[in-house]
């Protein structure tokens, strides 16, 4: 039985660049100007890993208190910039089709509750859908913990899981988990970058993925 494990931000909801601007502003307020493109390259990591990466950019370590403050301020600014979440093209339809067809699927995200709740709501995610968030595992992407926890909850074999993500961190974590991965261009990475990180297939957005599920061995309806 094939199963799909989805990243959330940038894969199903259009939030990547809001995260970039929120981190950039939070860092600037703390006296750490960082170029936006450098921030974008690290979206998809957990907040803690991101803060450590930023420390390398600014040339000094951040204290635990500074890291916590930056994460909190990022969350505040993110909600200001994007008070309403927007599903990426075809995301809602894709999840609905998988539910109606009985295709096993779940979400594994580096985000935390309650911050991710609005994104789940706009996607129409039911309460009984498997959703693994950062607080459920010890380590976040690029470690494989999120995807392995989701696979275990879904009750399928590792070899039968496809990870769907928009960032190289998703694909690297999938490779470490022993799962094939599919890249989407909706997070701002190029096709070559996603393929180099291990993507088995690359699609424009969830709409194109929905139209191409047969390439993953998933057939909706009758042959």
């Amino acid at each position: 039985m094939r199963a799909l494990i989805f990243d959330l931000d940038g894969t199903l909801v259009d939030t990547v660049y809001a995260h970039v601007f929120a981190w950039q502003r939070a860092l600037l307020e703390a006296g750490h100007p960082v170029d936006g493109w450098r921030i974008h390259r690290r979206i998809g990591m957990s907040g803690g890993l991101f803060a450590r990466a930023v420390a390398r950019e600014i040339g000094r370590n951040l204290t635990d208190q500074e890291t916590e403050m930056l994460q909190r301020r990022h969350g505040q600014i993110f909600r200001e910039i994007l008070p309403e979440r927007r599903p990426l093209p075809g995301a809602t339809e894709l999840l609905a089709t998988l539910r109606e067809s009985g295709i096993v699927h779940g979400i594994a995200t580096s985000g935390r509750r309650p911050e991710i709740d609005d994104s789940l709501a706009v996607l129409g995610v039911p309460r009984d859908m498997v959703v693994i968030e950062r607080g459920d595992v010890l380590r976040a992407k690029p470690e494989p913990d999120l995807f392995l926890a989701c696979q275990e909850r879904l009750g399928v074999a590792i070899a039968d899981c496809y990870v769907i993500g928009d960032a190289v961190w998703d694909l690297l974590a999938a490779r470490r988990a022993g799962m094939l991965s599919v890249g989407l261009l909706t997070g701002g990475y190029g096709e070559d970058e996603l393929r180099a990180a291990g993507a088995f297939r690359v699609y424009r957005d969830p709409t194109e993925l929905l139209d191409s599920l047969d390439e993953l061995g998933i057939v909706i309806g009758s042959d």
Side-chain angles (χ1 to χ4, degrees):
M1 180 180 294
R2 299 287 190 270
L4 301 179
I5 299 176
F6 292 92
D7 172 53
L8 183 61
D9 288 300
T11 299
L12 295 172
V13 287
D14 188 13
T15 52
V16 166
Y17 292 98
H19 278 301
V20 172
F21 297 142
W23 276 117
Q24 188 174 37
R25 195 169 122 197
L27 288 162
L28 185 61
E29 289 177 359
H32 309 306
V34 178
D35 295 337
W37 71 270
R38 296 181 184 275
I39 295 171
H40 175 258
R41 308 305 290 177
R42 291 175 171 83
I43 296 297
M45 293 179 168
S46 72
L49 287 174
F50 177 86
R52 285 193 284 276
V54 165
R56 291 195 295 273
E57 296 290 347
I58 65 177
R60 73 170 182 83
N61 292 328
L62 297 173
T63 66
D64 291 343
Q65 184 177 7
E66 286 176 310
T67 299
E68 182 180 350
M69 180 196 70
L70 281 171
Q71 288 181 282
R72 185 171 58 252
R73 184 60 181 139
H74 159 265
Q76 293 170 345
I77 297 170
F78 176 76
R79 288 188 290 274
E80 292 172 11
I81 293 173
L82 201 66
E84 295 183 6
R85 311 293 162 83
R86 187 180 73 86
L88 283 158
T92 304
E93 294 79 3
L94 172 59
L95 295 181
T97 299
L98 296 176
R99 284 196 301 273
E100 293 164 4
S101 303
I103 305 300
V104 179
H105 63 288
I107 290 174
T109 174
S110 295
R112 295 178 182 267
R113 294 183 188 273
E115 285 80 8
I116 65 172
D117 288 342
D118 287 346
S119 293
L120 297 176
V122 79
L123 289 167
V125 170
R127 294 177 62 87
D128 61 349
M129 182 173 170
V130 173
V131 177
I132 303 298
E133 47 104 354
R134 178 64 183 89
D136 294 326
V137 296
L138 180 62
R139 304 171 302 174
K141 303 167 194 173
E143 300 298 334
D145 300 31
L146 284 163
F147 296 142
L148 290 172
C150 191
Q151 166 260 326
E152 186 174 350
R153 287 273 302 278
L154 291 173
V156 296
I158 288 175
D160 290 328
C161 292
Y162 287 106
V163 168
I164 316 298
D166 66 289
V168 296
W169 313 110
D170 302 316
L171 310 183
L172 177 57
R175 179 182 291 184
R176 288 176 169 177
M179 301 174 186
L180 287 174
S181 61
V182 173
L184 298 185
L185 298 176
T186 45
Y189 281 91
E191 180 173 349
D192 289 346
E193 293 175 291
L194 296 175
R195 289 192 182 277
F200 167 69
R201 288 286 187 272
V202 176
Y203 300 109
R204 185 179 62 251
D205 53 26
T207 294
E208 188 174 21
L209 172 60
L210 176 57
D211 292 338
S212 308
L213 286 175
D214 59 323
E215 295 184 353
L216 308 182
I218 297 173
V219 178
I220 304 298
S222 59
D223 293 343

